[in-house]
Amino acid sequence: MKSELNFILLLLLIANPGLAQKNFTKGKIITFNKDTLSGYINYKEWIKSPNQISFKDDPTQSARSYTTSQIAGFSIDSNKETYHALNFDIENLPRSSNKIVYFNMKEYSNRTKKIESVSAFVRIVSDGNVTLYHYVDKDSEPHFLLKKADSLIVLVYHIVETKHYSAKFREYRSQLSKLLTESCKPLSIHHTEYYVSSMRKLIDNYNECFNSAIKSIAPQKDKGRWEYGIIAGVGYTKMTHAMANPFRYIEVKGNANITPVGGLFLNYVFARGRGKYALLNELHTYQTRSSVTYDDEHFHYQMHYLGLQHLFRYTFFVGKPSVYALIGFSYATIIKQNSTITRRDGSVEKLVYLPWAVRNDEQRAIAGIGLSHKRLMIETRYYRGNGFTTGANATPPNNRLDLLLKYNFGRIN
């Protein structure tokens, strides 16, 4: 219990400095007179469209807040992302299943529409003769808007749930067919899906017809990226072993030890979600050492494991440093077994694999938290494994804490 409390305190110590950090990067705010003011914007790599930003003329100055009623938009220098202040009405109809279920399509057609007035900074996905915007609401539902001349049109996509089936209502395709009639080439509107890469490809193709007349903004396209590198650290393990006597199993706790940890990692960071989501794959090696005395016999455990770990990473604060959480599982097998048992008569026996008593592998659940800054990452993790004792009568867990340092040789933002 004490070690788990210490682990929670360690998580808080790691998280608090990161949460206090800001990510002011070079950018420009756009006034309603279409002038630009250069400075530094607190760039949060927003998933949900913001309605307010923080801006500094100089890194040493205090930040000022701007809302959609005060500026026309802003842009980030490093990746050319541009946001415009937009005001529009949208139907608040969630697409997640089972939130709203209609009896049939007639009830859906006759529904009372819940219209929400929105004022937000909305990201430009494609710009030219028409401008495509990507808006994400407070429920993380994505929406696309198209601006043509002075008209701003919300492109409608609903997933309709009835008691008997689910239907995808792609009104946006018929809207686009009417709005993009001047295209110089055929457009695959009826194969366009309601997500960023598909919508951007369609509108980019349309805008290419007018490139000679209109200079378009070229925002950086969202792309996934690979991280790969090395892992080094230390682990703190508390072991429990089930000792058999003629009547029952007795769980005996061994002493705790600190042992080295190492490995390699290959991570994929998804483009969707603006880099906040990643899948982690690790080749991981660790040791387990512990000693315990039971019934005048001494048990010395020393095992070296090699295994694979698969985790999901969510970066909940993007900054310098960024803060993220981890959850996942691992599977490892013993590659070196140096465990011994000293019997009452002084004889020494080696601990060997026995299907009914000692397993040769370990499965573990993983939770953790970490900080990343440029290529360096530091993480603290908690593992709960099923130990090395097998059998239906006793499967005592092993608890382990790791402190890891990781270096990424892959591409960084």
Side-chain angles (χ1 to χ4, degrees):
M1 183 67 183
K2 185 178 178 181
S3 63
E4 292 179 1
L5 179 60
N6 290 338
F7 177 67
I8 293 171
L9 292 174
L10 181 59
L11 295 186
L12 292 174
L13 288 173
I14 288 180
N16 282 341
L19 292 173
Q21 296 290 326
K22 302 296 183 183
N23 186 32
F24 280 93
T25 188
K26 287 184 178 180
K28 300 177 180 65
I29 59 174
I30 306 166
T31 69
F32 288 114
N33 293 327
K34 297 185 179 180
D35 295 325
T36 58
L37 300 175
S38 297
Y40 295 82
I41 295 171
N42 187 16
Y43 181 42
K44 298 182 179 180
E45 295 190 27
W46 301 272
I47 293 179
K48 300 176 183 178
S49 300
N51 53 25
Q52 180 176 294
I53 63 162
S54 295
F55 177 82
K56 295 180 178 181
D57 295 311
D58 184 88
T60 60
Q61 295 181 347
S62 299
R64 305 189 299 274
S65 295
Y66 288 99
T67 66
T68 54
S69 63
Q70 296 172 300
I71 57 174
F74 64 92
S75 63
I76 306 299
D77 287 0
S78 60
N79 57 12
K80 308 301 181 185
E81 272 192 5
T82 301
Y83 292 75
H84 283 174
L86 300 180
N87 298 286
F88 55 94
D89 293 334
I90 198 166
E91 183 178 3
N92 188 14
L93 185 65
R95 301 191 189 99
S96 302
S97 60
N98 301 323
K99 284 189 176 181
I100 299 178
V101 178
Y102 297 95
F103 182 78
N104 52 32
M105 289 299 293
K106 182 178 180 181
E107 183 183 357
Y108 165 76
S109 300
N110 296 329
R111 71 192 182 281
T112 301
K113 295 183 179 182
K114 297 179 180 179
I115 303 299
E116 179 183 356
S117 295
V118 175
S119 181
F121 291 112
V122 185
R123 183 167 66 112
I124 293 177
V125 174
S126 179
D127 188 64
N129 193 56
V130 298
T131 303
L132 179 68
Y133 295 97
H134 180 224
Y135 166 70
V136 182
D137 65 22
K138 60 181 181 298
D139 296 319
S140 298
E141 297 280 9
H143 304 270
F144 291 96
L145 301 92
L146 196 74
K147 187 175 183 181
K148 185 174 184 181
D150 294 326
S151 298
L152 183 66
I153 300 98
V154 177
L155 302 176
V156 178
Y157 173 52
H158 292 163
I159 296 178
V160 183
E161 296 287 337
T162 72
K163 289 185 176 296
H164 304 291
Y165 58 86
S166 175
K168 295 181 178 180
F169 187 61
R170 296 184 174 93
E171 184 181 346
Y172 68 92
R173 289 180 177 173
S174 61
Q175 292 175 290
L176 289 169
S177 296
K178 297 174 182 177
L179 291 166
L180 307 180
T181 55
E182 308 96 333
S183 178
C184 62
K185 53 188 172 181
L187 299 174
S188 56
I189 293 174
H190 294 287
H191 293 94
T192 300
E193 299 297 332
Y194 204 79
Y195 52 85
V196 172
S197 60
S198 185
M199 296 288 284
R200 175 194 280 129
K201 182 179 179 180
L202 175 73
I203 302 303
D204 281 352
N205 284 336
Y206 171 82
N207 280 332
E208 283 177 1
C209 296
F210 308 90
N211 276 350
S212 59
I214 298 175
K215 184 180 178 180
S216 62
I217 298 173
Q220 184 184 63
K221 295 185 178 181
D222 297 332
K223 294 181 179 179
R225 69 179 190 275
W226 291 96
E227 299 174 340
Y228 57 91
I230 57 175
I231 306 171
V234 294
Y236 173 84
T237 308
K238 292 188 69 175
M239 291 180 59
T240 304
H241 187 51
M243 307 295 186
N245 64 30
F247 306 102
R248 62 190 177 90
Y249 280 85
I250 297 175
E251 293 187 6
V252 180
K253 293 184 177 181
N255 64 337
N257 278 281
I258 295 176
T259 54
V261 178
L264 304 172
F265 66 87
L266 177 65
N267 307 336
Y268 183 74
V269 183
F270 291 95
R272 299 186 72 180
R274 316 299 301 287
K276 289 180 177 285
Y277 307 104
L279 288 179
L280 282 57
N281 301 283
E282 300 173 352
L283 182 66
H284 190 69
T285 180
Y286 63 97
Q287 297 181 29
T288 299
R289 288 206 304 262
S290 186
S291 298
V292 67
T293 299
Y294 172 72
D295 198 17
D296 295 328
E297 294 185 331
H298 182 71
F299 297 80
H300 173 70
Y301 306 117
Q302 184 173 351
M303 290 160 281
H304 193 167
Y305 288 86
L306 178 67
L308 294 174
Q309 302 192 146
H310 305 286
L311 303 100
F312 174 76
R313 183 180 76 199
Y314 174 67
T315 303
F316 56 85
F317 180 84
V318 177
K320 297 179 181 179
S322 296
V323 185
Y324 56 87
L326 301 164
I327 189 168
F329 65 93
S330 72
Y331 176 89
T333 188
I334 297 174
I335 58 173
K336 190 175 182 180
Q337 174 67 276
N338 292 326
S339 302
T340 59
I341 304 173
T342 304
R343 299 300 185 184
R344 297 183 188 87
D345 59 4
S347 62
V348 178
E349 299 177 7
K350 288 188 175 181
L351 188 68
V352 295
Y353 165 68
L354 296 170
W356 61 88
V358 179
R359 66 164 54 101
N360 203 34
D361 52 56
E362 182 180 30
Q363 294 79 44
R364 303 184 296 173
I366 310 168
I369 195 168
L371 298 176
S372 65
H373 180 65
K374 296 184 178 179
R375 296 189 179 277
L376 287 176
M377 291 171 268
I378 184 171
E379 297 174 6
T380 181
R381 298 182 182 179
Y382 169 70
Y383 300 84
R384 187 172 179 86
N386 55 5
F388 60 91
T389 303
T390 188
N393 294 325
T395 54
N398 283 340
N399 296 297
R400 180 181 179 89
L401 302 177
D402 278 1
L403 183 63
L404 305 176
L405 183 66
K406 302 165 72 175
Y407 187 85
N408 173 31
F409 293 100
R411 185 166 65 88
I412 58 176
N413 284 335

